[in-house]
Amino acid sequence: MRARFPPRALLAALTLLGLASRGAGSLSPSLTSEDPMRLDLEMNVTRAGDVTVLVWEDTYEEGVAGEPMTVVIDLATGDPNALSVTTLQSLSADVAAAAFVEPSDWAGPGAWTRPRAALVDEVHHEPSTDVVVTSACCSPNLTDHVRRPFTAAEPANLFLTRNGTHEWDPVTLPPNLPTVHLVLGLGSEEDDNLNDGMTFSRVVALRAAVATATYSREYDVTVSYSGAGRPKHAWAPTVILHGYDASNFNTDLAAGVLRREVVREAVAYALDLPDASLAVLEVADEPASERSPGEGACRFNFTVSDVVDPDEVARAWPLTNTASFLEAAKARMLSNALWELVAVSGRRGPGVTATVTAELRPNTAGSWVRIANGRGVEPRDVNAVMEGYAADEKVFVSSVAREYVLSSGEVFSPPKLSEIRNAPPTPSTVLDVVHRPGSARRMTALVARFDDADVAERGGHVFRVSFHNQRPGADARVAVLDGSDGGDDPWFSRRYIMLSRPPSPPPMPAPPPKVQGLDTRVAAGPAENSVSPLGTSFEFLFEPLPGCETCGVPTGTTVYARVAKEPELLYGDWEACTAVDVEAVVQVLGGLNVTRTVKRYQLLHEPEALGAYRAQAKSVDEDSFAPGMDALEDVTPVERRYIVGAIVSGTGVLDRRTGVISVTFTDPVPYGEPGAAPVDAPALLSQTSLDLLGPGDVRVAWANPRTVLLTLPPARESGLCAAWREVRAEALAYALRNNRPDVPVRLWTDPGSVALPTEMTISWRAPEAWYDVASGFQMEKSVVLTIDDTLNAEAGVVIAGARVSGGCQQMSLQAVAADGSWDGVARWSFDSVLVSPNAAAAGAGADSSGTVPGVDEHPDLQRIVADANAGSFSSLTLDPSNTKPGLRYKFGASLTDCTGLNSTASMDADRVAGAVPFVYPTSGRVEYVTQYSASFTVAMETRIPDVNESVVKFGSSCDVDVTTLTYIWTNLTGEADCFFTDVRSTAYAGFERAPRATRRTLVIPPFCLKPRPEPHKLELFSTFGSDPGASASRTEVLLTVIPSPLVAAMKGGTGPRVVARGAGAFVLDASASFDPDAVAPDAETSTPSFVWSCGVVQTGYAPDPADGSRDAMEMERLYAKASVGGCPAAVSEKLAEARGGPAVPEGVSGALELDTLYRFTVQYDVGDDRVANVSTLVHAVDARVPSVTLQAPTQKTASSIALRLVGAATRTPGADGSASDGAVAFSWTAVPSIDFSNPQNFLTSTDATSLVIAPNVLLPGQSYVFTLHRLF
């Protein structure tokens, strides 16, 4: 409870209740000041009542700062006059009424307990009105009452002790206190102070301010500028959509939710911020005053949160009302079906705020009390400290929340009370009034209440009160009023407060310290085996140490040092280090840590080459080299190893389609250099990682010196996915731990909102052996492996195998991923047995009674399936003896991918008698999609029986002529002219079949099958001989034909391109664009149209030397970058002159501005639903540079065939039309890198404008970026 004194009561000041007339002594007070800055008052209370103690500084009787004190001195006696005593009585009564009577409105926590004492400070006739008294003792103004921490959650409690002093003695170490987290709210929505983010200078300044406000040392405060603890920024932009009402985004409708998400994603994209950082706060209609008559307009209020990078804040906060942002957001929304959108406008909204956690490690009484007492540190405390800070450092603190954190496994133990010297007999009460040093009040009044029970046991109660940290060099005066019935008269005394104890006689001189050897330690410097970049200046500070615990260091001791580089270790001469004075924390007598200025010896080293270095240092007593003395020096020099180079790290990605882990390193690795000896997986990977990726064999291949490819064994032989799923399952279980019946459902966590881990870790066996010691490079032990958890749109399983099998050979079924990927572990099931439709031709499927044998009557098949599942085998092999003719067997297969997604499929396999061609699709799939203009191959596999073996094993029905195997392809759903010739058949009505329709594998030429939404059903009929009988097989596949996409191509390549401003050789020409379906025999004539546009990607652009080292993803990001503005009007006019044609008239380059990166885009269509776009990036220079163009392939290329890249270069004529002089050379670069120095990789020279890459040089599945450079 906190009770505020009314000013009138304080004006009356304090008095003792029931002050009795003079009588027999009941207190017998005594006043001492034997300890520095401390005043001790001791008395023996023999009667119940209130005792009031008033302490004030001498010479302040006339008041403080013009304000009169409560006590007025009688000049005749030197004691307070009668008016002062009366005033003190009144003050005591007010304090007793406020502190010792249970409040009528007490609401806890817990039952009210009367305190032993209450206290007020600076008691004068015009007191400040914020002086308070609390039931838990009173701590007004800056008075510190040290409190006993007892739990981590609520570590502050009333300090009121018996037989003890304050919580920890000033000469002992502090107790085991918990770490304190202060969660600071920063900034205000009403100002722009944080609109450029919490910069490093602000974080540093905030740390210093928090340290000052909490009475902590700065290095006991941590305000993180990196990692998870970084300041997290938030703001609330507003975006207005013109053309839509708020009802269009109603969350009760699925369409409204979808539209909201479109808008949110578009705004996040335009701000270039992660989706997760943006949320929709509110959608409301714009007021009528803010929109045009009849126009629909709604306002999206967003919240941007958890943005940690201040540069991102400074970039993204101003964007909301810029043209580039609004155009990008509008384009994104229009492309996602918000077609009624007319315009987009925006407002930046209120200012940026942030939150950050300051971690404090209190280790002094003052710091602990400041943090733990009451509400602790408040925003105004930190803001007051920052008042004088510079504008670019100051940050407004809006809120402070306090948390107490214990380390893992640490037990929070309260500090023990230290005993009082010469403790009085019990019962006794000891109170300590502890002020912060330098902050003792000019006057302090304390009222203590004693009951009959306190004095009943021994007839008296010893009461001692100590006032700590009093101002030294002045007299302290004390008044004691006895409020008991018949108590003493007022008692007065005074004592001088000293700064230190009086000097004692000087001790006997101590003998000089024993000298018995020297030692040396590294007081400061790079850590052992640390890695630092070249250019780092290393500073070592060495400290001489005695050779034994009771020894000393001679005064003439200095430190010598030397440095050498591995592996030679050619140390030079020992050189004397420089003596410097530094501040260091040292432990003095009593275990107290103090900061002192000490001498250390400095060595500076600035390496000029990469490699590992060793610094040695030894302490030497130079005085010991005098004649006749034994030399004294450290015979075991201290040594520190440090590396100048770089820590090489890697990032890994698992391609679930191929089962290949691609690890890319920050620097080239010797193992991947051309000509390096191969290294296998057991030598490269740790045993833990081998077990994780195995137990099958892992293959290693280096794509280039910075990329290693780890090819995993088949999914069933790799434990990676299972381990990953287990990690994700544990994370999900932890996130859903509160989804229990005893928790309200509204507090449950939605499983769909849980972000599951997408990473695993692999480690290397001996990373220290990857680089030579002299290189300065060191490989990190572990690599974080990212596994994409996106659900595969083509995920599924198919069962490959013949639908009809005979009795002359084994039936083989294969469960494979629908997209042919590595990802998936199979399981089989044997589902049912039915009579086959082929039973009449193949033999009766049922027995003589008409009963069909069920699954349970096929134990051999059940065993085969169980064995396959036990080994996670992807195939089943069935002997004819396991099945019966005339029956249809249904098998099921499931495939579990890396994410745990389970796909299922089933297949009916008919068993017939005799020899049947075993025909099935090679891929296992029976559904395909192809383009109208593309050739398509339906590859089929056939297995034929070994006749001699089959006859012996299965009977004479297997005696067939396998050389007479024939195939016939038929389109069952429509025309297929390419299946027939122009020659009429003499054997049947119609035309003879084309050779392609009588082969096992069907190659369908372009434009054979018409595009249509429904698939074409193609049947392969195969048989031995012309009379198939029971030996025929029919296999159906479904082929969907779709229109071919348009191909947009621009002359000169996609860039980035450098052109000479005004060069006539620079043209914008898309005439190479084409419609692949336009050459179909029955194609209708179409009129192509071209729409040209231009945008400025970047102003102030300068070519980056790394432009030739961008990979495919970086190029995609560059081309997707939003335009910052439109092109000059002269450029737009030139584009308009194209008038829908493929080429823009010359003169564009003359209108381009220097130092600007432009994007030219052409949109190509032919009048139907198909549209294609292509762009090129261009920047102009004021120089006569050749115009370099590159014709890029428009289709994917197989790595097994040579790839031709065609480039061209045109010299730029001068202003007078003259040709440029000088030789021009060319070079190529590729990302990922290719060894251009190896001629075997190319079929042409690498210094020409065209390049032919040899087969099998490029890696399958990899995207490459080739750049043609011109050299002068």
Side-chain angles (χ1 to χ4, degrees):
M1 183 279 263
R2 298 171 66 92
R4 187 176 296 278
F5 282 115
R8 185 174 299 278
L10 287 175
L11 286 173
L14 295 164
T15 102
L16 276 173
L17 286 173
L19 184 64
S21 60
R22 297 182 183 181
S26 67
L27 296 179
S28 304
S30 65
L31 182 66
T32 60
S33 180
E34 298 176 353
D35 290 321
M37 302 171 61
R38 174 169 160 177
L39 192 66
D40 296 302
L41 174 66
E42 188 171 319
M43 62 192 78
N44 184 31
V45 180
T46 58
R47 286 189 288 268
D50 293 340
V51 175
T52 300
V53 178
L54 184 71
V55 178
W56 73 97
E57 282 189 23
D58 201 5
T59 74
Y60 282 94
E61 296 84 0
E62 300 300 325
V64 177
E67 303 290 347
M69 305 290 282
T70 297
V71 175
V72 179
I73 298 299
D74 188 333
L75 298 180
T77 63
D79 293 329
N81 60 18
L83 177 61
S84 296
V85 172
T86 302
T87 303
L88 195 56
Q89 292 171 349
S90 175
L91 177 62
S92 178
D94 288 340
V95 171
F100 300 150
V101 178
E102 179 177 359
S104 60
D105 59 348
W106 174 256
W112 181 83
T113 303
R114 191 194 78 199
R116 169 66 79 188
L119 174 147
V120 290
D121 267 344
E122 205 71 55
V123 187
H124 52 72
H125 288 287
E126 293 292 340
S128 61
T129 57
D130 62 351
V131 177
V132 296
V133 174
T134 69
S135 64
C137 188
C138 36
S139 178
N141 300 332
L142 293 178
T143 305
D144 288 348
H145 294 273
V146 183
R147 297 157 183 260
R148 179 175 67 88
F150 63 97
T151 69
E154 187 64 37
N157 192 25
L158 166 67
F159 168 67
L160 185 62
T161 67
R162 292 176 182 271
N163 296 327
T165 63
H166 44 75
E167 291 295 21
W168 59 82
D169 194 280
V171 297
T172 62
L173 294 175
N176 178 24
L177 299 174
T179 298
V180 181
H181 283 178
L182 298 183
V183 181
L184 306 174
L186 308 175
S188 170
E189 295 182 351
E190 282 71 39
D191 61 49
D192 295 340
N193 188 32
L194 272 188
N195 290 353
D196 56 349
M198 275 297 291
T199 59
F200 181 71
S201 60
R202 287 196 176 106
V203 171
V204 172
L206 181 64
R207 177 192 181 204
V210 170
T212 301
T214 57
Y215 309 146
S216 303
R217 297 171 299 186
E218 195 164 331
Y219 52 79
D220 287 330
V221 179
T222 300
V223 179
S224 178
Y225 190 67
S226 62
R230 293 185 70 174
K232 296 180 179 179
H233 303 80
W235 67 93
T238 298
V239 175
I240 298 95
L241 272 59
H242 301 268
Y244 281 93
D245 295 324
S247 59
N248 295 120
F249 304 94
N250 189 346
T251 54
D252 294 333
L253 302 175
V257 174
L258 180 61
R259 292 191 191 103
R260 277 191 181 223
E261 181 60 20
V262 167
V263 175
R264 190 192 68 81
E265 188 275 336
V267 172
Y269 168 80
L271 289 174
D272 196 15
L273 291 174
D275 279 357
S277 65
L278 194 72
V280 178
L281 183 64
E282 177 192 28
V283 181
D285 286 322
E286 274 284 89
S289 59
E290 300 293 331
R291 54 182 172 175
S292 303
E295 176 196 40
C298 63
R299 178 180 65 253
F300 271 73
N301 292 330
F302 293 96
T303 56
V304 179
S305 58
D306 294 340
V307 179
V308 297
D309 189 346
D311 292 338
E312 283 292 281
V313 177
R315 179 196 59 78
W317 182 83
L319 286 180
T320 313
N321 59 355
T322 61
S324 61
F325 163 79
L326 299 174
E327 290 176 6
K330 178 182 177 181
R332 194 80 169 184
M333 295 179 204
L334 287 172
S335 66
N336 284 281
L338 292 186
W339 296 305
E340 298 179 15
L341 184 63
V342 176
V344 177
S345 57
R347 295 190 287 267
R348 294 170 180 166
V352 176
T353 60
T355 57
V356 69
T357 299
E359 180 181 281
L360 281 71
R361 297 168 293 279
N363 63 356
T364 66
S367 175
W368 173 251
V369 171
R370 185 72 171 111
I371 297 168
N373 192 29
R375 291 193 300 269
V377 177
E378 297 184 358
R380 60 183 179 181
D381 301 322
V382 185
N383 290 332
V385 175
M386 302 192 79
E387 189 62 35
Y389 284 22
D392 60 347
E393 295 179 335
K394 186 186 303 183
V395 56
F396 176 73
V397 179
S398 59
S399 64
V400 180
R402 178 181 56 191
E403 299 174 350
Y404 300 97
V405 182
L406 287 177
S407 300
S408 178
E410 183 180 353
V411 178
F412 182 69
S413 57
K416 303 299 182 182
L417 299 174
S418 58
E419 295 184 357
I420 306 174
R421 295 188 298 273
N422 302 319
T426 56
S428 63
T429 293
V430 176
L431 298 180
D432 286 84
V433 178
V434 184
H435 292 86
R436 188 174 302 105
S439 299
R441 319 322 297 163
R442 297 293 192 268
M443 183 172 287
T444 301
L446 180 140
V447 183
R449 173 163 290 185
F450 298 91
D451 298 324
D452 290 333
D454 292 323
V455 298
E457 182 178 350
R458 298 190 181 184
H461 189 102
V462 176
F463 174 41
R464 173 177 171 177
V465 57
S466 297
F467 297 88
H468 299 262
N469 293 328
Q470 296 298 295
R471 204 180 311 274
D475 281 345
R477 300 176 66 105
V478 174
V480 177
L481 300 184
D482 185 355
S484 64
D485 187 12
D488 291 355
D489 290 341
W491 180 84
F492 309 101
S493 184
R494 63 193 295 170
R495 284 292 181 272
Y496 179 79
I497 304 298
M498 58 185 174
L499 178 62
S500 60
R501 289 186 175 88
S504 302
M508 293 293 293
K514 180 174 60 174
V515 176
Q516 186 178 318
L518 289 173
D519 203 350
T520 314
R521 82 175 185 96
V522 181
E528 181 73 14
N529 291 321
S530 62
V531 180
S532 305
L534 186 64
T536 302
S537 179
F538 296 93
E539 180 188 29
F540 292 87
L541 294 178
F542 300 108
E543 177 186 6
L545 299 175
C548 66
E549 292 184 0
T550 58
C551 296
V553 176
T555 57
T557 301
T558 187
V559 176
Y560 285 81
R562 61 183 184 177
V563 177
K565 183 176 182 293
E566 295 181 357
E568 298 84 2
L569 292 179
L570 300 177
Y571 287 105
D573 295 333
W574 290 98
E575 295 183 2
C577 297
T578 304
V580 294
D581 291 331
V582 298
E583 286 191 348
V585 178
V586 297
Q587 193 173 76
V588 298
L589 186 63
L592 182 64
N593 289 333
V594 297
T595 301
R596 295 276 177 84
T597 299
V598 296
K599 192 173 296 296
R600 298 287 185 260
Y601 295 86
Q602 181 190 61
L603 167 67
L604 297 177
H605 179 217
E606 297 182 356
E608 297 180 354
L610 300 173
Y613 292 83
R614 295 179 185 266
Q616 293 184 340
K618 65 177 181 179
S619 301
V620 177
D621 178 15
E622 294 188 322
D623 293 343
S624 67
F625 291 98
M629 296 185 65
D630 293 333
L632 181 63
E633 66 177 57
D634 182 1
V635 296
T636 57
V638 66
E639 184 176 86
R640 178 63 55 87
R641 182 177 186 267
Y642 53 104
I643 300 171
V644 179
I647 293 288
V648 180
S649 61
T651 55
V653 177
L654 170 64
D655 185 343
R656 289 168 44 197
R657 183 179 59 83
T658 62
V660 176
I661 296 174
S662 175
V663 181
T664 302
F665 298 99
T666 54
D667 290 279
V669 176
Y671 290 144
E673 297 289 350
V679 57
D680 58 8
L684 200 66
L685 295 165
S686 67
Q687 188 58 49
T688 301
S689 295
L690 284 174
D691 294 341
L692 173 68
L693 304 182
D697 293 335
V698 179
R699 290 176 293 151
V700 178
W702 290 87
N704 54 65
R706 289 181 54 193
T707 305
V708 63
L709 305 178
L710 305 177
T711 302
L712 300 180
R716 66 182 181 84
E717 298 180 22
S718 173
L720 176 61
C721 287
W724 185 53
R725 287 196 298 270
E726 184 176 345
V727 169
R728 290 163 63 86
E730 292 176 357
L732 181 62
Y734 179 80
L736 304 181
R737 63 192 182 280
N738 290 325
N739 292 16
R740 310 187 309 270
D742 59 324
V743 176
V745 175
R746 60 185 173 81
L747 300 179
W748 284 18
T749 299
D750 179 10
S753 67
V754 179
L756 298 178
T758 58
E759 297 176 343
M760 294 289 285
T761 300
I762 59 175
S763 56
W764 311 117
R765 179 181 180 184
E768 68 280 356
W770 286 40
Y771 290 94
D772 184 81
V773 172
S775 70
F777 290 94
Q778 184 172 320
M779 177 61 66
E780 274 193 344
K781 175 71 174 176
S782 301
V783 168
V784 174
L785 171 62
T786 301
I787 304 176
D788 184 9
D789 61 357
T790 304
L791 298 180
N792 186 357
E794 299 182 0
V797 58
V798 295
I799 302 178
R803 268 54 178 174
V804 178
S805 62
C808 300
Q809 58 180 321
Q810 292 178 327
M811 178 192 301
S812 180
L813 304 179
Q814 189 86 14
V816 296
D819 59 354
S821 70
W822 165 88
D823 186 16
V825 177
R827 287 191 63 83
W828 292 93
S829 64
F830 174 27
D831 298 335
S832 65
V833 184
L834 301 171
V835 175
S836 170
N838 295 319
D847 58 19
S848 56
S849 64
T851 302
V852 177
V855 173
D856 294 339
E857 298 177 62
H858 290 77
D860 291 340
L861 281 184
Q862 291 179 317
R863 177 183 53 78
I864 291 171
V865 170
D867 290 346
N869 289 336
S872 299
F873 296 128
S874 58
S875 62
L876 291 178
T877 302
L878 313 176
D879 194 83
S881 60
N882 302 135
T883 57
K884 298 180 180 179
L887 297 182
R888 170 169 288 180
Y889 294 85
K890 185 174 185 178
F891 294 92
S894 65
L895 203 67
T896 304
D897 70 5
C898 217
T899 64
L901 180 66
N902 197 312
S903 305
T904 60
S906 61
M907 189 189 83
D908 293 331
D910 288 343
R911 170 74 157 84
V912 298
V916 174
F918 198 88
V919 182
Y920 57 94
T922 302
S923 66
R925 303 180 65 177
V926 295
E927 298 182 14
Y928 304 93
V929 177
T930 186
Q931 297 173 9
Y932 186 36
S933 64
S935 173
F936 189 78
T937 300
V938 183
M940 305 294 288
E941 295 290 338
T942 300
R943 290 172 52 193
I944 57 178
D946 183 321
V947 175
N948 295 330
E949 181 180 335
S950 300
V951 169
V952 173
K953 189 173 183 180
F954 303 115
S956 59
S957 62
C958 297
D959 188 7
V960 296
D961 184 1
V962 296
T963 63
T964 62
L965 181 59
T966 60
Y967 303 96
I968 298 175
W969 282 96
T970 305
N971 184 5
L972 302 179
T973 53
E975 296 180 358
D977 292 342
C978 63
F979 285 22
F980 299 92
T981 67
D982 295 334
V983 180
R984 288 195 172 274
S985 173
T986 59
Y988 54 86
F991 296 92
E992 292 186 358
R993 297 184 184 275
R996 66 169 53 91
T998 59
R999 298 189 181 107
R1000 182 185 68 198
T1001 292
L1002 174 65
V1003 179
I1004 304 173
F1007 314 120
C1008 173
L1009 301 179
K1010 297 291 186 183
R1012 47 183 271 178
E1014 299 80 17
H1016 294 270
K1017 183 183 290 186
L1018 308 179
E1019 179 192 72
L1020 173 60
F1021 178 84
S1022 54
T1023 181
F1024 294 118
S1026 58
D1027 182 15
S1031 60
S1033 172
R1034 297 178 184 271
T1035 305
E1036 294 179 355
V1037 296
L1038 302 176
L1039 178 62
T1040 301
V1041 181
I1042 62 175
S1044 306
L1046 302 180
V1047 178
M1050 191 179 299
K1051 183 178 180 180
T1054 58
R1057 299 167 58 187
V1058 181
V1059 301
R1061 185 166 63 173
F1066 172 67
V1067 294
L1068 294 172
D1069 187 351
S1071 57
S1073 305
F1074 64 95
D1075 176 9
D1077 293 346
V1079 296
D1082 55 352
E1084 298 179 359
T1085 303
S1086 61
T1087 302
S1089 66
F1090 300 83
V1091 178
W1092 290 89
S1093 60
C1094 174
V1096 175
V1097 177
Q1098 182 179 339
T1099 58
Y1101 176 77
D1104 188 345
D1107 277 352
S1109 61
R1110 291 191 177 103
D1111 61 20
M1113 294 183 64
E1114 290 174 320
M1115 293 293 287
E1116 287 182 11
R1117 287 193 292 268
L1118 181 62
Y1119 278 93
K1121 188 175 180 181
S1123 298
V1124 298
C1127 290
V1131 173
S1132 299
E1133 291 173 2
K1134 280 294 180 183
L1135 297 183
E1137 291 179 14
R1139 294 182 174 84
V1144 177
E1146 292 185 3
V1148 172
S1149 63
L1152 299 180
E1153 297 177 357
L1154 300 177
D1155 303 324
T1156 303
L1157 184 64
Y1158 296 91
R1159 176 171 47 233
F1160 292 95
T1161 303
V1162 62
Q1163 178 177 292
Y1164 166 55
D1165 71 80
V1166 293
D1168 53 19
D1169 294 336
R1170 296 173 295 162
V1171 176
N1173 297 278
V1174 66
S1175 299
T1176 184
L1177 295 178
V1178 177
H1179 73 95
V1181 297
D1182 195 10
R1184 296 171 62 185
V1185 296
S1187 175
V1188 179
T1189 60
L1190 186 61
Q1191 179 181 337
T1194 58
Q1195 301 291 336
K1196 292 183 178 180
T1197 304
S1199 64
S1200 58
I1201 63 175
L1203 172 64
R1204 181 178 179 84
L1205 303 175
V1206 180
T1210 304
R1211 292 182 181 272
T1212 303
D1216 57 357
S1218 61
S1220 56
D1221 299 327
V1224 177
F1226 299 92
S1227 69
W1228 291 83
T1229 59
V1231 180
S1233 63
I1234 300 174
D1235 185 5
F1236 282 89
S1237 63
N1238 185 356
Q1240 296 182 352
N1241 290 340
F1242 306 95
L1243 303 183
T1244 60
S1245 64
T1246 59
D1247 56 358
T1249 56
S1250 295
L1251 181 71
V1252 179
I1253 304 165
N1256 301 315
V1257 171
L1258 304 181
L1259 297 176
Q1262 183 72 58
S1263 295
Y1264 288 84
V1265 177
F1266 289 92
T1267 304
L1268 174 60
H1269 305 267
R1270 84 281 185 270
L1271 307 173
F1272 295 96

